[in-house]
């Protein structure tokens, strides 16, 4: 069980400071955040969760603690539930950087689409630099980790490039999360991997090269049937609840949907934890992920 969040600032704390980033909305940030948060809380103590989409975020609805009548509590402990705040408003958005002083082993923020400009306002005064805020996070011995949700549409790749430009030279781990929800093969991610245009010239691929050269790595999120993904979200379910016969929400999914979620979850866990190259095509990702998160 996760330990309670410290109520005082711990300036000498060490840990990972994780944000889900993309200037492109609807690319699956919250979906992957929910998986990663659920998975890490099974592996580690001190995982602090925050939802920057305020009280309307799907992560808040799923991880938020509720009263006896089923209503979400206003006062949330980020170590056992999830703390909501509104990144779009000037004073509440300071929660993002202030959370770095709470002493979490992993501090995770699910941010809304188009969050770059709001982040840049906190310390850096707007513009295209994020050095101030990330230098502040690093100054309290938190290592920033930015998960970039990459979709087949060009804007998600452009968002990665923007964050790389804004944090160049800082000790930050950048991780590309390729969401196959609307894609069938790597060829669908043209601007990410690069492609040959109608004139035979090479386009795209440079942002991926920059991310990998910086020491980052890629995670592939396999496709889940949309009806299963929608029903999990609609019923505010953990992934594990779709696979647990004892869960009161288990029967809210049809049998096919439960099986689809189970297959997807096992594939995700395997891709991030199995370091045997004979059994996991993404064994290099698993090595990098386990080393980063101390698993």
């Amino acid at each position: 069980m996760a330990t309670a969040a410290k109520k005082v600032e711990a300036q000498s704390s060490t840990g990972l400071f994780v944000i889900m980033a993309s200037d492109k909305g609807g690319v699956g940030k919250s979906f992957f955040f929910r998986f990663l948060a659920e998975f890490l809380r099974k592996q580690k103590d001190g995982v602090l969760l925050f939802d920057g989409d305020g009280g309307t975020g799907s992560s808040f609805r799923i991880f938020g603690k509720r009263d006896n009548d089923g209503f979400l509590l206003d006062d949330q402990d980020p170590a056992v539930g999830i703390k909501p705040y509104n990144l779009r408003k000037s004073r509440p958005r300071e929660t993002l950087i202030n959370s770095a002083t709470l002493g979490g082993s992993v501090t995770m923020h699910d941010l809304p689409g188009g969050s770059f400009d709001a982040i840049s306002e906190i310390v850096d005064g707007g513009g295209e630099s994020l050095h101030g805020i990330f230098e502040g996070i690093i100054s309290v011995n938190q290592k920033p980790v930015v998960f970039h949700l990459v979709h087949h549409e060009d804007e998600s790749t452009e968002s990665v490039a923007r964050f790389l430009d804004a944090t160049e030279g800082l000790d930050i781990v950048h991780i590309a999360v390729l969401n196959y929800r609307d894609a069938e093969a790597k060829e669908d991610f043209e601007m990410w991997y690069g492609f040959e245009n109608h004139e035979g010239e090479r386009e795209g691929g440079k942002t991926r090269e920059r991310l990998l050269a910086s020491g980052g790595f890629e995670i592939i999120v396999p496709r889940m049937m949309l009806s299963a993904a929608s029903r999990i979200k609609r019923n505010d379910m953990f992934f594990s609840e779709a696979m647990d016969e004892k869960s009161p929400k288990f029967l809210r999914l049809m049998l096919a949907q439960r099986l689809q979620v189970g297959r997807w979850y096992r594939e995700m866990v395997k891709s991030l934890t199995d370091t045997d190259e004979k059994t996991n095509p993404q064994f290099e990702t698993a090595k990098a992920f386990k080393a980063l998160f101390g698993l």
Side-chain angles (χ1 to χ4, degrees), residues 234-248:
R234 186 181 310 121
N235 288 284
D236 300 329
M237 294 176 67
F238 292 111
F239 293 100
S240 58
E241 290 179 308
M243 301 177 281
D244 182 2
E245 294 180 353
K246 297 180 181 179
S247 168

Side-chain angles (χ1 to χ4, degrees), residues 3-281:
T3 57
K6 296 181 180 179
K7 300 303 182 182
V8 297
E9 293 191 352
Q11 298 295 344
S12 60
S13 64
T14 59
L16 299 177
F17 189 90
V18 174
I19 68 170
M20 298 288 158
S22 178
D23 274 351
K24 178 76 172 70
V27 293
K29 289 187 302 300
S30 293
F31 184 81
F32 183 74
F33 175 92
R34 298 198 310 265
F35 161 76
L36 186 62
E38 182 178 346
F39 172 75
L40 288 176
R41 276 193 166 170
K42 292 178 180 178
Q43 309 296 321
K44 302 173 71 71
D45 288 336
V47 178
L48 311 183
L49 303 184
F50 295 82
D51 190 339
D53 212 8
T56 62
S58 61
S59 294
F60 175 51
R61 295 198 308 272
I62 291 173
F63 288 98
K65 293 302 179 182
R66 298 173 182 266
D67 62 22
N68 293 333
D69 295 318
F71 293 103
L72 286 162
L73 298 170
D74 292 330
D75 186 17
Q76 294 278 338
D77 183 345
V80 294
I82 184 170
K83 188 174 184 62
Y85 66 99
N86 193 337
L87 186 70
R88 299 177 181 88
K89 294 186 177 181
S90 58
R91 185 55 62 84
R93 70 171 59 122
E94 293 177 4
T95 299
L96 178 66
I97 187 169
N98 289 337
S99 68
T101 67
L102 294 178
S105 63
V106 182
T107 302
M108 299 180 59
H109 287 262
D110 183 13
L111 302 183
S115 59
F116 183 102
D117 291 332
I119 297 173
S120 72
E121 290 284 352
I122 298 173
V123 175
D124 297 277
E128 292 299 313
S129 174
L130 298 178
H131 272 243
I133 186 169
F134 281 110
E135 286 170 352
I137 292 166
I138 293 169
S139 75
V140 291
N141 297 317
Q142 293 279 300
K143 186 176 184 64
V145 180
V146 182
F147 283 88
H148 302 273
L149 269 291
V150 179
H151 192 255
H152 66 85
E153 295 183 7
D154 296 356
E155 291 86 350
S156 65
T157 297
E158 293 167 0
S159 173
V160 181
R162 191 182 187 193
F163 273 89
L164 289 174
D165 289 341
T167 59
E168 188 171 6
L170 298 178
D171 184 18
I172 296 177
V173 179
H174 293 276
I175 302 171
V177 181
L178 277 68
N179 188 356
Y180 272 67
R181 179 190 64 194
D182 302 316
E184 297 180 356
K186 63 183 295 184
E187 287 76 17
D188 292 324
F189 298 88
E190 287 192 332
M191 289 305 295
W192 182 249
Y193 285 108
F195 66 101
E196 190 174 285
N197 65 21
H198 63 286
E199 296 179 343
E201 299 173 339
R202 192 70 180 168
E203 288 189 34
K206 293 182 179 180
T207 298
R208 177 176 184 263
E209 292 173 1
R210 287 180 63 192
L211 182 140
L212 297 178
S214 75
F217 57 94
E218 298 169 313
I219 293 173
I220 293 177
V221 178
R223 177 183 295 183
M224 181 189 290
M225 296 300 292
L226 292 179
S227 62
S230 296
R231 194 165 292 200
I232 286 176
K233 180 178 179 181
R234 186 181 310 121
N235 288 284
D236 300 329
M237 294 176 67
F238 292 111
F239 293 100
S240 58
E241 290 179 308
M243 301 177 281
D244 182 2
E245 294 180 353
K246 297 180 181 179
S247 168
K249 294 183 179 181
F250 180 72
L251 294 178
R252 296 186 184 183
L253 271 67
M254 302 295 288
L255 176 59
Q257 293 169 335
R258 296 197 296 269
L259 295 174
Q260 291 159 7
V261 174
R263 173 197 57 76
W264 182 91
Y265 190 85
R266 289 190 296 272
E267 285 187 17
M268 279 300 312
V269 172
K270 182 181 179 65
S271 70
L272 297 180
T273 60
D274 184 358
T275 57
D276 188 342
E277 61 182 307
K278 295 180 181 178
T279 55
N280 181 18

